[in-house]
Amino acid sequence: MQDFFESNLCALKIIDKTLAQRLESVVPNAKYEVFLTNDALNFNIISRVDSCPIFPDSPIQYTNQKILDFMAFAQYPYLYFFGLGNGVFHKVLLQNENLKCAVIIEPEIEILFIVLHFLDFSQEILQRRVVFLDKDSNAQDVFGIFINDKHKKIYAKLYDLHIFNGFYERFKDICMEFNRYFINAIEHVVITVGNDSKDSVIGITHHIQTLPQMLRSPTLASLIQELRVKRSEHFESALGAKGSSAVIVSTGPSLSKQLSLLKKYQDFVTIFCIDASLPILAREGIKPDVVFSLERVDLTARFYEDTPKSAHKDVIFAITSITHERLRNALDGDIVQYNMRPFGYTYYFGFDEYGYIGVGMSAANMAYEMVVYARFKRCIIIGQDLSFAKDGSSHAKDSVYGANEIDPKKRKDKVQLEAYGGKGMVESTSIWKLFLEFYQTDIAQTPYPIEVINATEGGVRILGTKEMGFKEALQGLEKGGKKEPLILHAPSPSVIESNIAKAKKKIEKFIDFGMSKKSKVEEVFLEVASLTEELEEVNKKGLLEEFDFSKITCALEHIQEIKDFFNDEQFTMCFNDAIQSYIVHQEMEIAKIITRISTDDIALKAKQIDLLYAHKYWLFSLAGGIDCVLEVVKKAFENWNLDKAGT
């Protein structure tokens, strides 16, 4: 019998090195042995501990029956399984071209080890059509499955974790744990999509308005380079890896107890500060190196308005292009580096030297990204509670909006999360939980070795961090000497003028392109609306059987042509951020219709009608979304100060 283990292992080393390493360390026949027959696909696996086989009867008969049972899922593009069995069932399922990916959790790595010797999954692994997890896989591995495939969220409402057979009941605790991982990951991606396009539309407006100012500011690339040379490399050469340290200051209730130590060491560490922490640090005489803002709302401006201008001196303000005009005005005369968040409409303009930062949902996430871009070897986190304190406070003392800005008694979205140090649970909110998940994902995906120290000494436990007292984390850093000032320079006048001219042309092309796409969507919408009216009319007359269903087939083909817009890079860059919230939620409902099995002609026609009606509102929403984006782009472009823009 051919052994496929090496080819499978080679594929896994490309896709999942960690799992490949675990497989290489498996000791054969430690817990399981294989029972072979003359049929290569009819092998059983038996536990050496209790002599229990995976298949109590014939493996091939069970597999054939299970294949028949799963005909109901023949249209599902994504399926999730707990238990691999002997792998034959899953190998057969993957012959179905409709199945884009099967995620298989095998709690016993030795069983996976055995199956990968007998069956060749190498191509499916390389194509990511199969994803294997074992009991040592974690929540971040599950998050990665959804983050790496944007289409999975569309079918999220169809999620079900299928247990292979009764043998796997012995692993029910592991099964329940993974089910929680999947549910949390699905909740995360759905919440991230949102259900309101308002924020995205505001972001597009602010970005267009800010472009001239952004293109006059120093680039993000220059800030990263300055941090690398003046801070990361300098301290690393002076003190080794421990010296290359950045401190991220957030605004949780625990921050107050860390301020005296931060003040003592402020000349010896790079301080990355979120905007809400700036007034608190200013009162203590602590000057951060870089302050981050990424919110669209005007209230963020108060963090700067309530801080004396003297506290702004020599500080670099790293501000995203989507921030409110009031905030930008509050920083007039300061050293501001405008950058871009990784949204489609920011990528569209192509000013890569100004982006892309702010993947997560908070300024603290943004600060951590800067730590990584600048290649610091250590990151010390303080004030990152992400939970209510024992006295019910939500923020540090002297916060601009008060220590009790969020009242736990009024929150309906409270959740319990593991506490710092593993000491029980703490009360948090669903939004803070989302911030936490982004933080943990960022840490897990850091592309080089980094020591992340959670010196908050309170709040929630952040997976991937080392919990350590702030005093211990800072110890010895003063030996590296005082830090050098960060100095940034704006581009030359000729580069600024060229970039602004480029931005103007890109906006004009954005509008022309959008008008063309909107026209095509409206054309198909009118076709679908006319057909639905015709269907309703013939149905009233009892003549539905005489209706020409080829018209619906044709309309569905036209709808698919519109859906192909989402495969057009320019379209997704220009419009996806603003429209995805309601389009994705509609697609989740449409997915239920698409995956429905049609056993006869009547069922097929019913499915076509349902798809037609579902896409009527889908098209209406899409046309309206495109129109909304175009209108705000036009208005923001009209508000450009053409004299200052040099055009």
Side-chain angles (χ1 to χ4, degrees), residues 1-2 37 108 162 205 243 267 276-277 307 337 344 366 372 424 435 470 492 497 513 517 524 534 625 628:
M1 182 180 289
Q2 187 174 354
T37 67
E108 291 281 52
H162 302 279
T205 303
D267 292 332
S277 298
T307 307
Q337 190 288 303
M366 187 180 175
V372 174
F435 290 172
F470 192 37
S492 67
E497 184 178 354
F513 174 78
K517 294 299 182 184
V524 177
E534 189 177 346
C628 178

Side-chain angles (χ1 to χ4, degrees), residues 123-250:
Q123 289 306 306
E124 289 90 344
I125 292 169
L126 289 170
Q127 295 165 3
R128 300 183 188 274
R129 291 194 65 225
V130 65
V131 174
F132 292 113
L133 302 172
D134 73 332
K135 69 179 178 61
D136 290 325
S137 302
N138 56 38
Q140 293 307 313
D141 296 319
V142 174
F143 267 96
I145 290 170
F146 288 90
I147 291 169
N148 294 330
D149 186 344
K150 64 182 181 181
H151 298 293
K152 279 192 176 74
K153 61 176 172 277
I154 291 173
Y155 294 89
K157 289 189 177 181
L158 301 175
Y159 165 76
D160 191 8
L161 187 57
H162 302 279
I163 300 174
F164 183 72
N165 69 0
F167 175 82
Y168 287 93
E169 292 292 338
R170 63 183 64 194
F171 306 109
K172 62 181 180 181
D173 289 343
I174 298 174
C175 181
M176 290 172 65
E177 184 177 20
F178 270 95
N179 194 47
R180 285 195 296 271
Y181 291 164
F182 277 102
I183 290 171
N184 286 340
I186 290 168
E187 286 178 350
H188 178 89
V189 295
V190 171
I191 291 171
T192 303
V193 167
N195 56 13
D196 188 352
S197 64
K198 183 179 177 182
D199 283 349
S200 294
V201 172
I202 291 170
I204 293 171
T205 303
H206 292 174
H207 175 67
I208 300 294
Q209 289 174 343
T210 309
L211 270 172
Q213 286 173 274
M214 184 188 87
L215 296 173
R216 291 191 186 90
S217 81
T219 65
L220 177 63
S222 69
L223 174 56
I224 291 169
Q225 182 62 19
E226 184 74 353
L227 283 165
R228 285 189 180 185
V229 174
K230 293 278 185 71
R231 298 298 169 78
S232 182
E233 294 174 10
H234 167 74
F235 282 118
E236 188 175 350
S237 63
L239 283 170
K242 187 174 182 181
S244 175
S245 300
V247 178
I248 297 178
V249 184
S250 294

Side-chain angles (χ1 to χ4, degrees), residues 237-477:
S237 63
L239 283 170
K242 187 174 182 181
S244 175
S245 300
V247 178
I248 297 178
V249 184
S250 294
T251 328
S254 68
L255 177 61
S256 303
K257 65 186 178 185
Q258 314 288 24
L259 293 175
S260 59
L261 268 173
L262 183 62
K263 185 173 183 178
K264 179 180 177 181
Y265 280 86
Q266 66 174 316
D267 292 332
F268 309 106
V269 292
T270 300
I271 301 174
F272 289 160
C273 167
I274 72 164
D275 44 21
S277 298
L278 178 63
I280 299 171
L281 298 192
R283 288 189 191 95
E284 299 295 324
I286 301 170
K287 185 160 288 192
D289 296 278
V290 186
V291 180
F292 297 89
S293 279
L294 83 171
E295 294 287 353
R296 304 165 178 86
V297 297
D298 68 329
L299 293 177
T300 307
R302 269 198 64 189
F303 302 135
Y304 303 106
E305 294 167 347
D306 287 14
T307 307
K309 270 293 183 181
S310 59
H312 292 203
K313 191 176 185 299
D314 299 324
V315 175
I316 293 172
F317 297 93
I319 309 299
T320 63
S321 62
I322 66 169
T323 51
H324 196 276
E325 183 181 15
R326 177 181 164 189
L327 186 157
R328 302 195 298 271
N329 291 338
L331 294 174
D332 187 41
D334 297 325
I335 305 169
V336 182
Q337 190 288 303
Y338 287 101
N339 49 68
M340 297 185 293
R341 295 186 71 182
F343 297 145
Y345 58 85
T346 59
Y347 281 114
Y348 167 80
F349 286 90
F351 297 117
D352 295 346
E353 64 273 25
Y354 285 91
Y356 300 90
I357 194 166
V359 175
M361 298 182 70
S362 75
N365 295 134
M366 187 180 175
Y368 182 77
E369 289 173 61
M370 186 66 83
V371 168
V372 174
Y373 284 139
R375 285 300 192 269
F376 283 89
K377 294 297 177 64
R378 293 173 89 233
C379 174
I380 304 168
I381 302 168
I382 60 173
Q384 192 61 272
D385 296 66
L386 294 172
S387 68
F388 296 102
K390 290 181 180 179
D391 63 2
S393 60
S394 59
H395 290 76
K397 187 176 66 174
D398 296 327
S399 293
V400 167
Y401 290 102
N404 300 101
E405 178 184 347
I406 301 174
D407 186 348
K409 296 177 182 178
K410 296 180 180 179
R411 299 291 299 206
K412 296 181 179 179
D413 64 337
K414 286 186 292 186
V415 296
Q416 295 289 317
L417 298 174
E418 186 179 8
Y420 184 93
K423 299 175 182 177
M425 307 294 283
V426 288
E427 196 169 58
S428 183
T429 70
S430 59
I431 296 299
W432 282 339
K433 179 173 177 281
L434 197 61
F435 290 172
L436 172 66
E437 289 165 351
F438 268 111
Y439 225 133
Q440 292 176 161
T441 301
D442 285 345
I443 293 168
Q445 294 181 346
T446 303
Y448 67 91
I450 185 172
E451 183 181 38
V452 184
I453 297 170
N454 185 1
T456 296
E457 300 180 70
V460 302
R461 167 163 276 181
I462 302 174
L463 298 179
T465 67
K466 180 188 293 185
E467 293 172 337
M468 181 187 295
F470 192 37
K471 184 176 182 179
E472 182 184 352
L474 293 172
Q475 194 169 3
L477 295 185

